[in-house]
Amino acid sequence: MNELDELYQEDREETPPPHPRILSLANQKGGVGKTTTAINLGTALAAIGERVLIVDLDPQGNASTGLGIDRRNRSCSTYDVLIGEAPLREAVVATAVPRLHIACSTMDLSGLELELGTTPGRAFRLRDAIAALNKGAAPDTDYTYVLIDCPPSLNLLTVNAMAASDAILVPLQCEFFALEGLSQLLQTVEQVRSTLNPNLSIHGIVLTMFDSRNNLSNQVVADVRQFMGGKVYDTMIPRNVRISEAPSYGKPVLVYDLKCVGSDAYLKLATEVIQRERDLRTH
């Protein structure tokens, strides 16, 4: 091997693995549709050819259950990853949806904050785990998107998610206290941006559980659009029985009933997310 070959070999070995786009679904309020949006957005992205990993950071593990992963099959979880006992790839399991995988969670996560205490770098555990995710992966097994399903609180788990993310996607229920919770979340994003992750941005706000017959729903939509402008996605997720039923069958609504209005809304949302991604790349 001559010197040029050796240099080429070194360069090739040092080429970093492809970095997935990392989006956190966050809102400190519970019941706003974070998990439902993570599952169905992930499914829609996988359907158009993206390789998607959902990271379940909620101790309740609803994203894992909603994708049909039995609790008995969660021997390695995001808890093991965050305490440093396993690489993220070990916690990943395949779902019934092609190109969609999930790193499952367990109730152990609820004690993570106490366990890590004041350990240095505790806010970057997830960032470092994701950084190693595509290392050594074959080209057709690397992930192009990582969606992080956050717990309904602004604790160490959510801070880990924000410190690891390129952007935040905020599901916002069309209800009276929506804007109050949103301003609190935006403050947290600003804090994380100034202290842990200067590149963090708000990808968009998706209005969920919209009911056009309800005057309050329409008023909330008008207020949020006025307050946040272009950050609000055009697509709104309607109240839909099929969306509510799907998790009990361990399926995304897109698999459970592709023809329902809920599925149509999530496909449109995925199209909007991809379009915003393209716009970000061109700018």
Side-chain angles (χ1 to χ4, degrees):
M1 188 184 281
N2 63 32
E3 278 181 53
L4 275 176
D5 283 341
E6 280 177 26
L7 279 171
Y8 172 68
Q9 185 70 20
E10 281 173 23
D11 280 351
R12 193 168 58 183
E13 283 169 1
E14 286 173 17
T15 302
H19 183 63
R21 280 288 288 172
I22 306 164
L23 306 178
S24 275
L25 288 96
N27 190 328
Q28 72 276 18
K29 286 176 72 66
V32 297
K34 282 189 298 295
T35 300
T36 303
T37 301
I39 289 172
N40 289 293
L41 178 58
T43 301
L45 289 170
I48 58 172
E50 302 289 346
R51 290 181 297 278
V52 184
L53 173 65
I54 293 175
V55 176
D56 191 348
L57 273 199
D58 188 345
Q60 293 177 64
N62 291 339
S64 309
T65 307
L67 282 167
I69 311 301
D70 194 287
R71 289 189 184 274
R72 289 168 295 188
N73 299 334
R74 302 180 201 175
S75 53
C76 182
S77 72
T78 49
Y79 167 78
D80 300 296
V81 175
L82 292 176
I83 62 167
E85 287 193 353
L88 185 51
R89 280 261 171 191
E90 271 186 33
V92 171
V93 294
T95 72
V97 179
R99 293 181 297 279
L100 178 66
H101 294 80
I102 185 163
C104 298
S105 86
T106 57
M107 282 302 291
D108 295 332
L109 270 180
S110 55
L112 185 82
E113 199 150 358
L114 283 171
E115 209 161 324
L116 290 183
T118 56
T119 310
R122 65 193 180 283
F124 298 114
R125 293 292 179 101
L126 185 60
R127 183 196 69 179
D128 296 345
I130 293 173
L133 183 64
N134 281 341
K135 203 171 184 181
D140 57 344
T141 63
D142 59 339
Y143 293 105
T144 53
Y145 276 89
V146 173
L147 304 180
I148 306 170
D149 186 28
C150 295
S153 56
L154 298 175
N155 59 12
L156 181 62
L157 291 168
T158 304
V159 169
N160 257 274
M162 289 185 181
S165 294
D166 298 305
I168 306 288
L169 195 156
V170 186
L172 202 67
Q173 189 178 352
C174 295
E175 55 146 51
F176 183 66
F177 292 115
L179 275 173
E180 197 174 276
L182 179 61
S183 57
Q184 195 183 347
L185 179 69
L186 295 176
Q187 282 173 6
T188 304
V189 170
E190 207 45 60
Q191 281 178 316
V192 170
R193 191 187 285 136
S194 60
T195 56
L196 300 172
N197 182 1
N199 300 317
L200 186 66
S201 64
I202 298 285
H203 196 283
I205 293 157
V206 56
L207 292 159
T208 61
M209 304 179 198
F210 174 68
D211 184 348
S212 58
R213 301 162 301 176
N214 184 324
N215 288 337
L216 179 61
S217 269
N218 289 303
Q219 187 58 53
V220 169
V221 170
D223 289 348
V224 174
R225 290 198 187 281
Q226 185 182 1
F227 183 57
M228 293 302 295
K231 283 290 180 192
V232 187
Y233 297 107
D234 292 334
T235 306
M236 294 187 289
I237 310 300
R239 277 200 182 278
N240 178 232
V241 171
R242 307 303 265 172
I243 292 177
S244 307
E245 288 174 352
S248 63
Y249 291 89
K251 293 177 180 177
V253 71
L254 289 158
V255 174
Y256 179 63
D257 184 355
L258 182 59
K259 299 266 194 295
C260 74
V261 292
S263 292
D264 185 52
Y266 275 115
L267 287 168
K268 285 178 179 165
L269 177 64
T271 305
E272 261 195 271
V273 168
I274 291 288
Q275 188 53 55
R276 287 196 185 193
E277 288 289 300
R278 285 193 188 123
D279 294 345
L280 283 167
R281 283 190 197 113
T282 53
H283 291 115

